Amino acid sequence: MKKKIFLISFIVLSLFTSFSVVKAEDYEKDGYIYSYWGKAIPSAYGMSHIHTYDPYTLGLDQLGIDTKNPDDIYESDWLKYWYDHSFLDEIARLKLDVGIKEANSIFHPQDLFSYNNKLYIVDSKNNALLVLNQYYQLEAYLQLFTDANMEDVYDLKEPSGIAVTDDSIYIADTDNERIMVLDHEYKVKKIFGTPEDKTFDELAFKPLKISVDKTGRIYVIVRDVFEGIIELNSDGSFNRYTGVNPISMNVIEAIWRRFYTEEQLKQMKLYLPTSFTNMIIDDLGFIYATSKADSSGNDQNMIKKINTKGIDVLKRNGYDVPKGDLTYIQVKTGNLQKGPSELVDIAINDIGMYTVLDQKRGRLFTYDNEGRLLYISADKGDQEGKLGNPVAVTYFNGDLVVLDQDNKSLEVYGLTEFGELINEAIKYHYEGDFEKAAEVWTEVAKLNTNYEIAYVGIGKSLLRQGKYKEALENFKLGKDKYYYGKAYEGYRKEFLNNNFSIIMTVTTIVILYLFRKPLIDIFKKDREDEE
């Protein structure tokens, strides 16, 4: 019965709201989010583009002069100002343009990691490690490395991944088939080669992405390895595979395969689990990992939160599972991309929020720790502030930094007023201060009356205060069936308690009315017996 009432409420609510249901592509300019019904509806961006750092502004154009002497690091902001204000004659400008082109040719970023107010970047074409300070100024550019005794010299070959801890810098040195471990003076501490596992009897060890937990265990995503993420001990020895992506096959395919001959099975499409694309480990040791949809189009497990037992414990309490865009076209039309999002990296912050990067459409999807989609930012395109071929993302000094390989740039996104309020509400909720969270959610709802999560946040605060009727209204607006049921249960108990005497009186009257005849008969019989 409650379900029927809830469904009817939804239908009535839908009739009186003015949601315009369209495809996500229609809101590329103005931003969008997904409603309870899985449709894209208008919404403000949570983050907006605030700055681009290209090779020129990073000072890479000066590397041809002297890359080893830190005193020669180029003050690029000053030169850009000089260039922009036309103090240069044509010849000087031409020379500077050549310098910019050379700078573009020496930057092919592949992955980045933020640690202790610094950004660490690996360049896969120039086989280099770049380190930027908190002001995005180049602090180090290294292509050759030595050990502490200066006895051996090491180089990188198409490095693809990087991770940094308190005492070490780990680089997935892909084409050298090894992991290079540096100290914070950029001296080589250790080199880990191919792990001893039968997987690599016939397959080259090509580490693509790397992450390290607080105990020193190393996690590696390796090219063409589908068994899962490789876990290495701190000494580089093989331990196990973790977070295995399951093989996806529909019921009909599974049944038919039981009747195929061995020869027929060989001729069929090879079913392989989807490999991971990137990962990061939070302070509690959970691995947040991304992968692409599998060959059958299954996009339900593209984001995982893997615990120490290798089990996916990601909460999926939103309207749909976290996976980027919910609706998309199946056939490419014009410039519109078909198929599900292609998630290539994930960033986490200190209040349980995480953002995934969709390389296909250049979008950033931000979720809370319950798996609810909070806002969608960025877009793909050729204009300033748009993304070309984003490959990595990280939180840095309160902003979100995206590494764009095609544009050879770092694109920085900062919170809008709308996003700042949402983050503030999530923070209060994360800390258990539901009343303050509700106050901020109210402000969010004023900015966007279609933002359903805000009503859920307000409803939770009202529920904790015992204001069940008001909570019901907000959970109805927020389309949250679970908390609507909780509020309804409380409201029913409250109603019974407040009206117990009236209910009992009415009940007694009704019973007396319904059974008046037998009662009268009993009364008459008793009186006759007495006479």
Side-chain angles (χ1 to χ4, degrees), residues 163-228:
V164 184
T165 65
D166 289 343
D167 57 7
S168 300
I169 302 166
Y170 296 77
I171 300 175
D173 191 4
T174 306
D175 270 15
N176 277 328
E177 301 177 12
R178 66 190 184 187
I179 294 167
M180 181 184 286
V181 186
L182 310 172
D183 62 20
H184 282 281
E185 298 298 321
Y186 313 117
K187 300 296 183 186
V188 177
K189 291 171 64 179
K190 301 171 188 172
I191 296 289
F192 297 140
T194 303
E196 291 187 8
D197 181 70
K198 61 181 182 182
T199 303
F200 303 109
D201 290 347
E202 298 179 355
L203 182 69
F205 177 63
K206 299 277 189 182
L208 295 175
K209 302 298 174 187
I210 191 166
S211 200
V212 184
D213 69 13
K214 286 188 172 179
T215 67
R217 281 191 295 261
I218 306 164
Y219 297 86
V220 190
I221 295 172
V222 180
R223 182 180 296 160
D224 297 329
V225 171
F226 300 95
E227 284 81 355

Side-chain angles (χ1 to χ4, degrees), residues 284-303:
L284 299 175
F286 291 102
I287 304 171
Y288 286 75
T290 53
S291 59
K292 297 179 182 178
D294 63 23
S295 55
S296 67
N298 182 3
D299 59 2
Q300 300 298 297
N301 296 296
M302 296 199 296
I303 305 172

Side-chain angles (χ1 to χ4, degrees), residues 465-478:
Q465 296 174 50
K467 297 178 180 178
Y468 302 113
K469 189 175 180 181
E470 295 90 337
L472 277 173
E473 293 299 320
N474 280 280
F475 289 136
K476 187 192 295 182
L477 290 170

Side-chain angles (χ1 to χ4, degrees), residues 61-316:
D61 53 321
Q62 293 298 297
L63 294 178
I65 298 173
D66 188 351
T67 61
K68 303 296 187 296
N69 186 353
D71 293 333
D72 284 338
I73 290 177
Y74 178 48
E75 294 293 337
S76 56
D77 287 342
W78 171 80
L79 188 52
K80 187 173 189 308
Y81 179 85
W82 188 32
Y83 182 86
D84 291 343
H85 287 74
S86 303
F87 295 140
L88 303 175
D89 59 28
E90 288 302 315
I91 295 177
R93 188 182 296 276
L94 181 61
K95 288 181 179 177
L96 199 53
D97 284 342
V98 171
I100 293 171
K101 288 175 183 174
E102 289 177 350
N104 282 331
S105 69
I106 59 170
F107 192 44
H108 190 82
Q110 187 68 44
D111 198 12
L112 83 169
F113 194 94
S114 62
Y115 174 80
N116 199 21
N117 288 327
K118 291 184 180 179
L119 277 177
Y120 296 77
I121 302 169
V122 285
D123 182 326
S124 59
K125 261 189 181 174
N126 299 287
N127 304 318
L129 166 66
L130 294 81
V131 183
L132 308 178
N133 66 17
Q134 60 182 320
Y135 305 111
Y136 297 89
Q137 293 175 332
L138 189 65
E139 281 198 353
Y141 184 95
L142 302 106
Q143 292 174 304
L144 295 176
F145 305 84
T146 65
D147 55 25
N149 299 321
M150 306 286 285
E151 294 177 349
D152 296 310
V153 178
Y154 303 85
D155 61 1
L156 299 170
K157 198 170 181 183
E158 295 199 21
S160 302
I162 186 166
V164 184
T165 65
D166 289 343
D167 57 7
S168 300
I169 302 166
Y170 296 77
I171 300 175
D173 191 4
T174 306
D175 270 15
N176 277 328
E177 301 177 12
R178 66 190 184 187
I179 294 167
M180 181 184 286
V181 186
L182 310 172
D183 62 20
H184 282 281
E185 298 298 321
Y186 313 117
K187 300 296 183 186
V188 177
K189 291 171 64 179
K190 301 171 188 172
I191 296 289
F192 297 140
T194 303
E196 291 187 8
D197 181 70
K198 61 181 182 182
T199 303
F200 303 109
D201 290 347
E202 298 179 355
L203 182 69
F205 177 63
K206 299 277 189 182
L208 295 175
K209 302 298 174 187
I210 191 166
S211 200
V212 184
D213 69 13
K214 286 188 172 179
T215 67
R217 281 191 295 261
I218 306 164
Y219 297 86
V220 190
I221 295 172
V222 180
R223 182 180 296 160
D224 297 329
V225 171
F226 300 95
E227 284 81 355
I229 298 169
I230 292 180
E231 180 182 301
L232 304 177
N233 297 310
S234 57
D235 61 0
S237 60
F238 179 84
N239 187 20
R240 61 169 181 165
Y241 290 98
T242 188
V244 180
N245 266 327
I247 295 174
S248 177
M249 192 183 307
N250 63 42
V251 176
I252 296 175
E253 288 170 336
I255 293 173
W256 275 113
R257 284 178 68 88
R258 297 177 67 86
F259 298 100
Y260 287 154
T261 64
E262 191 171 333
E263 191 61 31
Q264 287 174 316
L265 287 172
K266 286 181 181 176
Q267 295 175 1
M268 286 185 63
K269 179 175 62 176
L270 186 62
Y271 284 91
L272 293 173
T274 302
S275 57
F276 292 98
T277 53
N278 216 328
M279 63 184 160
I280 190 166
I281 299 177
D282 70 5
D283 290 339
L284 299 175
F286 291 102
I287 304 171
Y288 286 75
T290 53
S291 59
K292 297 179 182 178
D294 63 23
S295 55
S296 67
N298 182 3
D299 59 2
Q300 300 298 297
N301 296 296
M302 296 199 296
I303 305 172
K304 286 186 174 181
K305 181 182 178 181
I306 302 165
N307 66 13
T308 54
K309 295 181 179 178
I311 299 170
D312 178 20
V313 294
L314 185 75
K315 290 184 178 179
R316 296 174 172 86

Side-chain angles (χ1 to χ4, degrees), residues 369-477:
N369 64 347
E370 294 287 327
R372 295 178 303 182
L373 180 60
L374 299 175
Y375 44 80
I376 303 168
S377 314
D379 200 4
K380 205 164 188 176
D382 299 326
Q383 303 94 332
E384 184 178 358
K386 303 272 187 178
L387 298 174
N389 181 34
V391 294
V393 63
T394 187
Y395 282 103
F396 186 60
N397 293 338
D399 297 326
L400 205 59
V401 180
V402 179
L403 206 57
D404 192 325
Q405 199 171 73
D406 281 3
N407 292 334
K408 303 180 186 305
S409 63
L410 279 74
E411 305 293 341
V412 184
Y413 291 83
L415 288 169
T416 62
E417 179 188 3
F418 183 62
E420 197 165 352
L421 283 172
I422 293 172
N423 281 24
E424 188 179 359
I426 293 295
K427 181 174 181 293
Y428 282 132
H429 186 87
Y430 185 80
E431 294 170 348
D433 194 338
F434 295 97
E435 288 190 25
K436 282 190 176 177
E439 291 175 8
V440 182
W441 281 128
T442 303
E443 295 300 312
V444 173
K446 287 178 184 175
L447 288 177
N448 183 358
T449 56
N450 289 348
Y451 197 74
E452 296 163 349
I453 296 174
Y455 299 110
V456 178
I458 297 168
K460 284 183 179 178
S461 174
L462 293 169
L463 181 61
R464 291 176 67 87
Q465 296 174 50
K467 297 178 180 178
Y468 302 113
K469 189 175 180 181
E470 295 90 337
L472 277 173
E473 293 299 320
N474 280 280
F475 289 136
K476 187 192 295 182
L477 290 170

